[in-house]
Amino acid sequence: MTALTLSTSSAATVRADALVVGVAKGAKGVVVAPGAEAVDKAFGGKLAGVLETLGASGAEGEVTKLPAADGLKAPVVLAVGLGDAPAKDEAYDNEALRRAAGSAARALTGSKKAGFALPVEDAEAAAAVSEGALLGAYTFTAYRSNGNGQNAKGGKKNDAKSAPLAEVALLGTKPRDKEFKAAAERAQALAAEINRARDLINMPSNDLDPKSFAAEAQAAAKEFGLKVEVLDEKALKKSGYGGLLGVGQGSEAPPRLVRIAHTHPKAEKTLALVGKGITYDSGGISLKPAGHNETMKCDMSGAAAVFAAVVAAARLGLAVNVTGWLALAENMPSGSATRPGDVLTMYSGKTVEVLNTDAEGRLVLADALTRASEESPDAIVDVATLTGAMVLALGHRHFGIMANDDAFRTAIHEIAEEVGEQSWPMPMPEHLRKGMDSPVADIANMGERMGGGLVAGLFLKEFVGEGITWAHLDIAGPAFHEGAPWGYTPKGGTGSAVRTLVRLAERTAAGDLG
């Protein structure tokens, strides 16, 4: 992973492959952001004019490279756009800094070291730049050959030109200041876990099935002192996990339920996080049409986010108990697969008529929600790439939030916005529940087509223990990015919801959530 260092060095004296400076859109053209004073001086105070001549406007994410002026130790200056300049005496928005740092780090792929001279007036800004740079530098090259027909997955090095930026030096900071140091350490731990989630999401399903995913959790538990329990297909059958077994029975790779937990001796609260972990989703007998299967390795993004958040909580030593439940299965069509019209008896004892086998995520989550409720946590949050309907409603950059408690839903929305994850609170209209009435079972796994994302939330609510505060994050839109990279968002797995879950755990540890 990219290294991060705090440095008191001036941009004029630091030795690096490139210097990153910020520019913004001012009322009269490009303006140079704080932190780049030494670089501007080296250009005779005309850096903004030079950049404008090269076509720069200061727009968010815009990257302009130019040769460094005399007096700078680095050979290249990279100017990255921050968007509109803030009003006088106002600071740059942390998310703008995060995205700009990500764009710059990605543009410097193949470089050994870059000095980031962006506005870092306080520890919060330093944290934003650090996170953005570390996340933007991410690349997934495990399956690319090194040009000699040898695959990197076998341990061979990739072409240096495709390697992520090796080191980020954050200039103008205070390495000995407790707040700056803590911000940098948190950013490194958080980025490492988000990138862990991204790696898992990007891994093809022939290498990541429920069993191997569970093995990843066991390895991390050993490394970071977490408690882990894995229920295999025999244990699931013995205890009656009909949802997990029903979804997984069509595959040669049997399902797993993983419990992975961070505990702290001073913890007063417990959070349960539940993640949908469909390692490949063909739709089952209700087969997805052509063109909708190619990215379905990402249907375990919720479980990846939960896994990463629990490990991050441990790495940060948070004084809160965080238990992750990974509901892992592969949804395949075969002679043994669940059929539309079948009835499953869930772990809770409720029966579910399966009207569509492609509505499988809610089935595995239902079992995990019931099991998580048995431990009476203070709150449960489930995370899932659950419905295409949520993508239709909110697009590819926002996730939806539903909850059985309005205040909790609002709190999660505010947390998500605070950490730079776009989200939107969604309702849970009770009239939609009737559409899931079944003539043969307690409930059907499908209801009205319109408002399908809300129907899925209402289904999950049925399996949450009485009196337990619960929220559901439908990350179907932002979990996997198929377009061109932007900001610190790569192509492929994004690690959506990890930052929100970690900040929720931090606020719970601090007693800020009641």
Side-chain angles (χ1 to χ4, degrees), residues 99-138:
R99 291 179 184 177
S103 294
R106 189 175 62 256
L108 292 169
T109 296
S111 300
K112 292 182 178 179
K113 180 179 179 180
F116 279 64
L118 294 173
V120 286
E121 297 175 0
D122 56 29
E124 268 192 33
V129 173
S130 299
E131 287 175 22
L134 294 174
L135 294 175
Y138 173 83

Side-chain angles (χ1 to χ4, degrees), residues 1-7 94 96-103 105 116 118-120 122-138 165 167-171 173 179-192 194-195 198 488 499:
M1 180 170 162
T2 302
L4 174 69
T5 57
L6 300 179
S7 175
N94 284 334
L97 293 174
R98 197 179 283 116
R99 291 179 184 177
S103 294
F116 279 64
L118 294 173
V120 286
D122 56 29
E124 268 192 33
V129 173
S130 299
E131 287 175 22
L134 294 174
L135 294 175
Y138 173 83
L165 172 62
E167 182 183 349
V168 170
L170 212 57
L171 308 180
T173 54
E179 290 187 359
F180 275 85
K181 188 176 180 181
E185 290 175 351
R186 180 186 183 277
Q188 287 176 299
L190 185 61
I194 293 171
N195 289 341
R198 290 171 168 180
Y488 51 83
R499 284 179 288 157

Side-chain angles (χ1 to χ4, degrees), residues 58-73:
E60 182 182 309
E62 180 185 75
V63 171
T64 307
K65 288 184 180 180
L66 66 162
D70 291 340
L72 299 176
K73 300 294 185 183

Side-chain angles (χ1 to χ4, degrees), residues 47-86:
L47 178 58
V50 173
L51 289 168
E52 283 188 334
T53 301
L54 294 173
S57 67
E60 182 182 309
E62 180 185 75
V63 171
T64 307
K65 288 184 180 180
L66 66 162
D70 291 340
L72 299 176
K73 300 294 185 183
V76 174
V77 171
L78 186 151
V80 61
L82 293 163
D84 293 333

Side-chain angles (χ1 to χ4, degrees), residues 124-203:
E124 268 192 33
V129 173
S130 299
E131 287 175 22
L134 294 174
L135 294 175
Y138 173 83
T139 58
F140 184 71
T141 58
Y143 292 83
R144 293 189 181 275
S145 65
N146 63 5
N148 297 318
Q150 294 171 314
N151 193 277
K153 189 172 180 291
K156 302 295 182 181
K157 289 186 177 180
N158 281 280
D159 188 338
K161 292 181 180 179
S162 66
L165 172 62
E167 182 183 349
V168 170
L170 212 57
L171 308 180
T173 54
K174 305 171 183 177
R176 296 184 180 181
D177 182 275
K178 288 183 179 179
E179 290 187 359
F180 275 85
K181 188 176 180 181
E185 290 175 351
R186 180 186 183 277
Q188 287 176 299
L190 185 61
E193 293 314 312
I194 293 171
N195 289 341
R196 180 199 298 273
R198 290 171 168 180
D199 281 347
L200 289 168
I201 297 164
N202 289 328
M203 192 177 295

Side-chain angles (χ1 to χ4, degrees), residues 191-229:
E193 293 314 312
I194 293 171
N195 289 341
R196 180 199 298 273
R198 290 171 168 180
D199 281 347
L200 289 168
I201 297 164
N202 289 328
M203 192 177 295
S205 301
N206 58 326
D207 277 341
L208 188 74
D209 62 13
K211 182 178 179 180
S212 58
F213 197 142
E216 293 279 347
Q218 289 171 314
K222 184 176 181 180
E223 181 179 358
F224 296 104
L226 302 166
K227 296 180 181 177
V228 65
E229 177 186 4

